[in-house]
Amino acid sequence: MQTRGFVRGWAGAGVLLLALGVAGCTGFPRPPAEVTAVVDDAAAMIRSTPGVASVTTDIRVRDHKDGGPLSEVAAWSALLTVQADASGLDPRSLAASVAADGQDGYVSLTTVLRIPGEPGTADVQLQFSPPPNGVLTSVEPREMADAALALSDLPGIGSVSVLQHGEPVIVSVDSPARWADLTETMRAIPGFGSGALTAVTLVTEHDAGESSSLTFDPRSPAAKLVPVLSDLAAAEGVTSVSFDGVDTRKEFSAWRPSLRVLVDTRSARGLVAARLTGLDESDSQSSGLPRASFTASTGGADASQDLRGYLGLPLGSAEPDDRLTGLPGAIPPAAADPAAAAARLELDTALVTTLLDAAGDAAGIRGPASVTTETCMDGSNEQVHGTVVIPIFEIADSADEAFDAITTAWEIGGYIRSDRAMGRDFWSVPDGSLDTLSIRGTADGISIMVTAPCVLL
C-alpha cells in the first residue's frame, strides 16, 4: 500500500516565524485584540464553508526580539490549517473560498488547505499567503487546485503541495526510480512551465532519514540527465541527492543549475565525482542553459574536503562563461552609457537622502544619515546605499509613535510591507525605484536601511 503523508517540514514552509505559545502561558505576550478578532473571524467563515471538516489556528510572534513593539499588529502573524472532508468535494471552489476567507489586509495570515486523496490519488495541500519580499507573482487558488489535481493521480506520488507565489510544486515520490517517467509526464502537461506549474520538486524520503530531491522546469535538467540523478540517489554509499534547476526569479548571478550529492565515505565521494565529470555533453547540458555545477561531500564540518566541479568537465576546470546564454526570459544587458549611469546614481543618491530625511522628520528628529555608492554583488556595477539610526530616545521614552509615523508615511506613498526577518520589517516599492527598504527598532533608536537598484557601468 502506498504510504501517504506530506513532505516533512513543509507545512510551515513560507511561515518562517518564531512560534510562541500565546494562549494560557504565563509570561508570554498575548496578541493584540485586533489580531485575535481577525483570526477568529477568518476561522469562523472557513468553518462554515461546505466541505471543511475542521480549522485550527496558531497566532505567532514574527520575531520575539527588539524589532518592534509587540502591541503592534504587524509584529504578529497567524497560521490557519484547514482540513477538508474526505469525499464529495469541489476542490477548485473550496480552494477559492478558503483563500478568500483566509486573507486579510490588516493581519498577515497564511492558510493551509489539506485535501485528503481519494483511493489511488495523492493527498493535496494548498498554501495561501501574502507574497514574500520583492515577489509579485501570485497564482489564483482555482489554478493551484487544478495543478494539484493534474499531478495527484500519477503513479508513486504520496502528496502534492502547491504554494501561491511561483515556488516549485512539491511532490513526494516513493522512489527515485520514478523520477524519469514523472519528469517526462509532467513536462507534457499543457501549460507546464507557467502559472502554478512553473517548476516541480520531486522529493523521495530514504529509509535512513535522509531525502533526495529533483527540481525541474521545462528545460532543466536535460532529459538524459534525469536517469543519472535517479541512479545516483539509489546508489550504494550515496545518502542524498539534490538537484536545483534554473530559477529565473533569481538574479543573473544565481542562474546556474546545481547538484549536491552527500555520500558516506571518501571513496564514494571520489566515485561520484568521477561519474559526474565523465558525463557526455548530451547527458550534462540543456541546450542554451548554463552547465550545472556539482558538489560531492561526506557532509563533514570541513568543506575543504568536498569535491566541486561542473558536469562533464574535469575537476579543477574554470567556471564556464555561459550564465546568460539562452536563459528563458533573460536579456543580455545593453552597453552602459557612462553619462547616463552617473546621472542615474546622482538621482538615486537624492532619492535615498530624501527618504532618510523624511523618515527623521516624521519621527520628530533626524539622525546622522550615511548615503554612499557601493559596488553591487556582481562585482562590476554600482548602487546607492543609505542607512540611518534615528535617535528617537533623545526626545521620547518609546519608539512606537515615531515608528508608526514613519511606516504610515510609507504606506501613503504606496510602499508595501512585504516581509519580516531578524526583527527587521522589509518593504517593497512597486515602481522599482528602490531595491530594498527596511526598518527596525534598536536600543539606539530606529534603524532604516535602503538600497537603490544596481546601475550598469
Side-chain angles (χ1 to χ4, degrees), residues 340-406:
R344 179 73 261 172
L345 290 171
E346 184 176 351
L347 289 173
D348 287 346
T349 298
L351 173 64
V352 170
T353 301
T354 299
L355 185 147
L356 297 178
D357 287 347
D361 294 341
I365 181 173
R366 291 187 180 185
S370 170
V371 180
T372 59
T373 299
E374 300 180 13
T375 303
C376 299
M377 292 183 64
D378 61 15
S380 57
N381 301 306
E382 293 185 349
Q383 65 185 153
V384 175
H385 289 241
T387 62
V388 69
V389 175
I390 297 173
I392 192 63
F393 299 117
E394 293 183 9
I395 62 171
D397 294 330
S398 170
D400 292 8
E401 185 174 343
F403 195 100
D404 287 346
I406 294 169

Side-chain angles (χ1 to χ4, degrees), residues 305-329:
Q305 300 301 310
D306 294 348
L307 297 179
R308 295 182 172 85
Y310 302 92
L311 300 187
L313 298 180
L315 285 177
S317 297
E319 179 179 2
D321 184 19
D322 59 359
R323 284 186 182 267
L324 295 179
T325 303
L327 286 170

Side-chain angles (χ1 to χ4, degrees), residues 52-72:
V52 171
S54 65
V55 181
T56 59
T57 63
D58 185 9
I59 301 176
R60 306 177 175 193
V61 176
R62 289 191 177 208
D63 194 332
H64 192 50
K65 295 184 179 179
D66 61 343
L70 295 182
S71 60
E72 292 294 324

Side-chain angles (χ1 to χ4, degrees), residues 232 240-242 258-263 269 272-273 276 292-299 303 305-311 315:
L232 272 179
S240 176
V241 170
S242 177
S258 63
L259 169 63
R260 181 171 178 82
V261 183
L262 292 180
V263 297
R269 181 181 59 195
V272 167
L276 297 177
S293 64
F294 76 83
T295 301
S297 174
T298 56
Q305 300 301 310
D306 294 348
L307 297 179
R308 295 182 172 85
Y310 302 92
L311 300 187
L315 285 177

Side-chain angles (χ1 to χ4, degrees), residues 3 6 23 32 55 81 95 102 111 113 135 152 303 305 327 346 392 428 457:
T3 301
F6 295 105
V55 181
T81 303
T111 305
L113 172 60
V135 174
S152 63
Q305 300 301 310
L327 286 170
E346 184 176 351
I392 192 63
S428 57
L457 299 179

